[in-house]
């Protein structure tokens, strides 16, 4: 019986590795099939290019001449550029730096899928290898997640961190590391993650009340460290005192000017975006919630986050 169990676990591990390999492969295939970027991605693409091409000659950077509506952080482009630095000499046949676009986007895809793999591994540790394999199949069946995994957007940089935070919440429920990671993500990349921090804190403080003080301390530390890192680096690149996510928060939330780019009804995420993004996984999610009570702590904070965030008029699937 022990030998059969070992053989079963070995086979399940092989299937899991194959599925994870497919996640990486599909994300890279999307990079090759759709290599060019949209206007929303232009800042991070240009910033990465300028870091690689111009180095410390910041006065020649594109963003100083074309700053955009609100400033964005350079922390994401700095990371991508650092990993691409050994290959910065690569050029296309016409002399362009097009290969570097493929390389940096592939880097981001690898970061994103690695965070998804970490999430799947947490499923294996808490539920089962079979559950993790089915979750991987669900991810493979969804177009948007892997397509956007390499798109240089603040949302995607934040996705890497929120995946890691969720993986920590699942595999180590009483650990406060997830709160630290979420607060870093909110301070640096997407300030609205602050809503998710509140919903997860409320949920976890109900289930594990003794961990709340430590979560608050680590969350505060993560937020402060993220904000200080962003302020220090972005003030250098923007050549003025600059904390991008604060300016984004004032523009999008306080002034509500994001609605100038279009509005959708409050139910849009639930009736349009999420069904299109999840496809066949949506009914399975609802079935899973009814079947296993452990999923409630994982799913409900995210659902409440989306519900609260839905009150902001401007909405996008990404």
């Amino acid at each position: 019986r022990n030998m059969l169990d070992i053989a079963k676990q070995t086979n399940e591990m092989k299937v899991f590795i194959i599925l994870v390999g497919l996640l990486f492969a599909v994300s890279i295939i999307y990079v090759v099939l759709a290599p060019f970027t949209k206007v929303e991605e232009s800042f991070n693409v240009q910033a990465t290019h300028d870091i690689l091409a111009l180095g410390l000659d910041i006065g020649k950077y594109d963003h100083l001449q074309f700053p955009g509506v609100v400033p964005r952080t350079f922390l994401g482009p700095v990371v991508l550029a650092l990993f691409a630095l050994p290959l910065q000499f690569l050029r296309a046949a016409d002399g362009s730096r097009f290969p570097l676009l493929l390389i940096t986007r592939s880097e981001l895809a690898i970061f994103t899928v690695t965070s998804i793999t970490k999430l799947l591994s947490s499923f294996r540790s808490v539920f089962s290898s079979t559950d993790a394999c089915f979750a991987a199949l669900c991810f493979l069946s969804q177009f948007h997640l892997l397509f956007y995994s390499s798109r240089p957007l603040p949302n995607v940089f934040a996705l890497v961190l929120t995946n890691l935070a969720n993986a920590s919440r699942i595999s180590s429920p009483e650990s406060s590391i997830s709160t630290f990671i979420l607060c870093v993500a909110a301070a640096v990349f997407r300030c609205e993650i602050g809503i998710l921090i509140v919903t997860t804190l409320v949920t976890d403080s109900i289930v594990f009340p003794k961990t709340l003080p430590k979560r608050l301390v680590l969350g505060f530390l993560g937020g402060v460290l993220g904000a200080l890192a962003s302020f220090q680096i972005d003030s250098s690149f923007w050549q003025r005192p600059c904390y991008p996510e604060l300016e984004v928060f004032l523009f999008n939330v306080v002034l509500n000017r994001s609605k100038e780019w279009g509005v959708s009804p409050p139910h849009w995420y639930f009736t349009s975006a999420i069904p299109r993004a999840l496809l066949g996984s949506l009914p399975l999610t609802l079935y899973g919630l009814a079947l296993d009570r452990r999923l409630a702590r994982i799913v409900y904070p995210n659902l409440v986050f989306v519900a609260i965030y839905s009150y902001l008029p401007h909405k996008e699937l990404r």
Side-chain angles (χ1 to χ4, degrees):
R1 184 179 179 88
N2 289 337
M3 293 298 293
L4 288 174
D5 290 340
I6 292 173
K8 180 182 178 183
Q9 291 174 4
T10 302
N11 289 333
E12 287 178 342
M13 189 62 185
K14 289 179 180 178
V15 172
F16 180 75
I17 291 172
I18 291 171
L19 291 173
V20 167
L22 286 174
L23 288 170
F24 280 101
V26 171
S27 66
I28 299 300
I29 288 171
Y30 283 140
V31 173
V32 176
L33 292 180
F36 301 107
T37 51
K38 296 173 60 181
V39 64
E40 296 93 340
E41 303 155 33
S42 61
F43 169 78
N44 284 312
V45 170
Q46 187 66 48
T48 306
H49 166 274
D50 288 350
I51 293 169
L52 289 169
L54 301 173
L56 297 178
D57 194 0
I58 297 175
K60 294 182 179 179
Y61 278 33
D62 180 84
H63 71 285
L64 296 177
Q65 186 176 359
F66 304 101
V69 179
V70 289
R72 285 295 184 182
T73 183
F74 268 82
L75 282 172
V78 164
V79 172
L80 294 180
L82 284 175
F83 278 90
L85 204 57
L87 300 173
Q88 64 172 325
F89 62 88
L90 290 178
R91 299 289 186 275
D94 60 359
S96 73
R97 291 186 170 87
F98 177 66
L100 288 177
L101 175 63
L102 297 178
I103 289 169
T104 52
R105 283 197 53 205
S106 297
E107 287 174 14
L108 185 54
I110 290 170
F111 293 152
T112 305
V113 177
T114 298
S115 72
I116 293 172
T117 303
K118 187 70 174 175
L119 195 60
L120 292 171
S121 296
S122 71
F123 296 162
R124 288 183 66 241
S125 65
V126 174
F127 300 102
S128 71
S129 294
T130 301
D131 291 326
C133 289
F134 275 108
L137 284 172
C138 288
F139 287 143
L140 285 167
S141 73
Q142 298 161 358
F143 166 76
H144 293 89
L145 178 65
L146 294 179
F147 180 79
Y148 274 100
S149 67
S150 65
R151 315 303 294 191
L153 293 157
N155 313 61
V156 178
F157 289 116
L159 175 64
V160 174
L161 295 180
T162 54
N163 280 341
L164 295 176
N166 274 314
S168 177
R169 284 190 74 237
I170 295 168
S171 60
S172 305
E174 297 189 46
S175 172
S176 304
I177 297 300
S178 61
T179 308
F180 177 86
I181 298 173
L182 285 176
C183 288
V184 171
V188 175
F189 293 115
R190 297 296 304 194
C191 58
E192 64 268 27
I193 293 175
I195 303 171
L196 183 60
I197 294 168
V198 173
T199 59
T200 54
L201 273 177
V202 170
T203 303
D204 291 342
S205 64
I206 293 172
V207 182
F208 307 107
K210 293 182 179 180
T211 65
L212 181 59
K214 187 176 181 181
R215 292 180 193 277
L216 291 174
V217 170
L218 279 181
F220 177 77
L221 181 63
V224 170
L225 289 176
L228 287 175
S230 177
F231 181 79
Q232 182 68 34
I233 291 175
D234 291 315
S235 294
S236 299
F237 279 104
W238 287 97
Q239 300 191 337
R240 65 176 176 85
C242 180
Y243 177 31
E245 276 312 292
L246 176 59
E247 296 189 33
V248 170
F249 175 78
L250 294 173
F251 184 88
N252 285 342
V253 180
V254 177
L255 299 178
N256 194 22
R257 289 193 58 189
S258 60
K259 67 180 181 181
E260 296 173 12
W261 279 260
V263 298
S264 300
H267 58 78
W268 186 82
Y269 284 127
F270 290 103
T271 58
S272 179
I274 291 178
R276 282 184 291 138
L278 294 184
L279 298 177
S281 304
L282 182 57
L284 295 176
T285 303
L286 299 176
Y287 177 68
L289 280 170
L291 194 67
D292 194 328
R293 293 177 60 184
R294 291 176 296 177
L295 290 175
R297 177 179 165 271
I298 302 169
V299 175
Y300 287 159
N302 294 282
L303 285 178
V304 176
F305 160 70
V306 176
I308 296 173
Y309 194 45
S310 293
Y311 283 93
L312 197 65
H314 179 69
K315 299 176 178 62
E316 295 181 9
L317 191 145
R318 60 186 168 88

